[in-house]
Structures are given as structure tokens and as C-alpha cells.
Amino acid sequence: MELFITLIGLILILEGLPYAASPEAMQRWLRQILEMPPEQLRRIGLIAMAIGFFLCYLAQKSGLFG
């Protein structure tokens, strides 16, 4: 459970950092996202998820971190 709470905290830090560092740029970026077709957003999301799963798998199976 400690690892899970730590993970949630890290996600919130990473998600909030761009908004705190440069809110104007984030507003422009969000406007551009609104103009993208849903299929393109879905594709980007699936690619990001695949990369995330791969990194988790690599970290668990490679022994680099433990």
C-alpha cells in the first residue's frame, strides 16, 4: 500500500508540474488538444499506455532497480 500511495503522489506531482510552471503554455496546449480528432487522441493514449507498460515490465524483469 505504501508503494501505491507513493506512486499516486508522484503521478500528481508530474501532472501538476506543467500547470504550475507555465499555465499559459498549458492553456494553449489544451486548446490544441480540443481541436484534435478523437481517433488521434485515442491513438496517442494507447501508445503512451504501451510505453508505460513496457517500462514497468522492463523495470520489473531487468533487475536494473533492485
Side-chain angles (χ1 to χ4, degrees):
M1 190 65 172
E2 181 181 346
L3 179 62
F4 180 71
I5 298 298
T6 302
L7 179 64
I8 297 296
L10 287 172
I11 289 170
L12 290 172
I13 289 169
L14 290 174
E15 287 288 328
L17 185 62
Y19 294 97
S22 184
E24 296 86 8
M26 285 303 297
Q27 287 176 329
R28 285 191 306 271
W29 186 67
L30 289 171
R31 271 190 231 100
Q32 290 175 344
I33 287 177
L34 285 173
E35 295 172 3
M36 289 177 138
E39 299 81 26
Q40 186 175 3
L41 290 172
R42 183 174 290 115
R43 201 172 311 123
I44 291 169
L46 289 172
I47 290 169
M49 286 174 51
I51 292 169
F53 281 126
F54 176 72
L55 289 174
C56 289
Y57 175 80
L58 188 65
Q60 292 294 315
K61 298 297 180 182
S62 68
L64 290 174
F65 303 106

